[in-house]
Amino acid sequence: MPTSTSPDSIKERSTQAAVAIRELIGKGMRPPRAGVIIGSGLGAVSAAMTSPSVVEYRQIPGFATPSVAGHRGRLLAGDLAGVPAVILEGRYHYYEGYTMRQVTFPTRVLAELGVEMLVVTNAAGGLDPAFRPGDIMLISDHINLLGDNPLRGPNEDGLGPRFPDMNGAYDPDLREAARRVAAAEGVELRHGVYVAVSGPNYETPAELGFFRTVGGDAIGMSTVPEVIVARHAGLRVLGLSCITNRALAPADRAREGVGAMTVTHEEVLAATASGAAKMARIIAGVIGEMAR
Ligand code: HPA
């Protein structure tokens, strides 16, 4: 049974990765206070970071090369709104075949680098009939329907508790800050519950009906593993979804008078373009408040 001192312990591997990142970036690297994980097509969010140092994922021990279109696979270190931060451009998805531990390894490395706050972003389908492509949803809570959990298996007590609490997983103060920043920036912010499924297929109409009935407002194939691990590690989390398509339950579809609801990956990426700029402003604003 792996323990926190065995060579394959997550603690040990994330420490090695953090050491490698600090070496690759060099003396100029200030200890990051915030980490940001950028979702599908949302690379424009990193434009908010001025003259970052760049490390390719393949240079970092323990990271694999992401495979899906729209993901670049590089780590950016620099300042976001005057606060030292790290941006992870590209995430590992469960549907790509990675294990939950591989999916969440970068989050462990962010924790090891010393970040206090994690911002997670994603592209998601809108289950709430009021949502439109390009909208930004502040995640208030999640429902894990991935059928797996990154904390399954022996617990490394040095990383966090065996049974972490998930109340307030999406930090109430950070949510309040996001609302404040959005209002000041004139960005309309939706809010709701994110449902995570494994994918890679988009949902059947009956599934959308189920996800809406159980309380979902947006649906996607990521984020929840990283949030579970971030909470296990004691990080404060802010989650933002870019709504890329309407994913309406049959009953809502009938009420809204919309026909068949097909969705393609290209359509999802196209809709992130308008959302990414809004997200960048909210993220910079919330992280900037850490400097005060
Ligand atoms: N379903 C699941 N994941 C998604 C969707 C969707 O409709 N849109 C973007 N990611």
Side-chain angles (χ1 to χ4, degrees):
M1 186 184 284
T3 68
S4 56
T5 51
S6 74
D8 61 349
S9 79
I10 297 169
K11 177 72 185 168
E12 204 148 304
R13 290 190 299 114
S14 56
T15 304
Q16 281 166 7
V19 166
I21 291 163
R22 289 194 194 99
E23 274 172 11
L24 286 161
I25 289 175
K27 289 203 176 18
M29 186 174 183
R30 291 203 286 154
R33 296 189 59 199
V36 184
I37 299 179
I38 305 289
S40 298
L42 294 164
V45 168
S46 8
M49 184 176 264
T50 39
S51 48
S53 302
V54 180
V55 175
E56 302 290 334
Y57 282 3
R58 58 181 155 71
Q59 296 175 277
I60 308 172
F63 276 48
T65 310
S67 64
V68 78
H71 287 265
R72 276 193 278 191
R74 51 183 209 162
L75 175 153
L76 311 179
D79 275 14
L80 260 177
V83 175
V86 165
I87 296 179
L88 295 177
E89 268 190 345
R91 61 152 55 88
Y92 301 101
H93 293 92
Y94 191 59
Y95 63 73
E96 293 176 273
Y98 298 110
T99 64
M100 279 289 186
R101 283 177 189 240
Q102 288 174 309
V103 167
T104 54
F105 185 66
T107 305
R108 291 289 183 198
V109 175
L110 288 176
E112 188 60 37
L113 285 169
V115 306
E116 302 149 42
M117 183 215 293
L118 176 68
V119 182
V120 284
T121 68
N122 59 51
L127 292 163
D128 183 328
F131 293 1
R132 292 292 183 279
D135 280 356
I136 305 299
M137 185 189 88
L138 179 62
I139 305 177
S140 54
D141 203 347
H142 73 222
I143 299 175
N144 178 14
L145 292 177
L146 284 159
D148 200 348
N149 192 298
L151 304 181
R152 183 170 177 271
N155 188 58
E156 290 181 32
D157 295 338
L159 294 175
R162 170 75 292 186
F163 300 110
D165 185 43
M166 287 290 145
N167 283 289
Y170 298 85
D171 192 90
D173 293 337
L174 293 180
R175 273 152 55 200
E176 185 50 41
R179 279 194 211 98
R180 225 171 21 240
V181 169
E185 292 280 336
V187 172
E188 194 192 354
L189 204 54
R190 310 290 196 165
H191 61 95
V193 173
Y194 177 86
V195 179
V197 290
S198 77
N201 61 284
Y202 292 113
E203 299 69 37
T204 66
E207 285 167 344
L208 293 177
F210 171 72
F211 299 136
R212 183 67 180 148
T213 300
V214 298
D217 298 300
I219 174 134
M221 307 174 192
S222 68
T223 303
V224 162
E226 292 102 317
V227 171
I228 291 172
V229 160
R231 291 307 299 148
H232 186 242
L235 308 183
R236 299 168 71 198
V237 173
L238 176 71
L240 295 168
S241 291
C242 176
I243 303 302
T244 54
N245 55 285
R246 300 180 86 190
L248 299 188
D252 290 324
R253 217 189 273 180
R255 259 194 298 274
E256 295 275 309
V258 293
M261 201 144 276
T262 57
V263 52
T264 64
H265 186 57
E266 290 67 31
E267 187 186 333
V268 165
L269 292 182
T272 53
S274 68
K278 290 192 254 181
M279 264 190 186
R281 280 149 67 201
I282 295 169
I283 293 169
V286 173
I287 291 179
E289 291 199 357
M290 292 177 95
R292 288 192 215 137

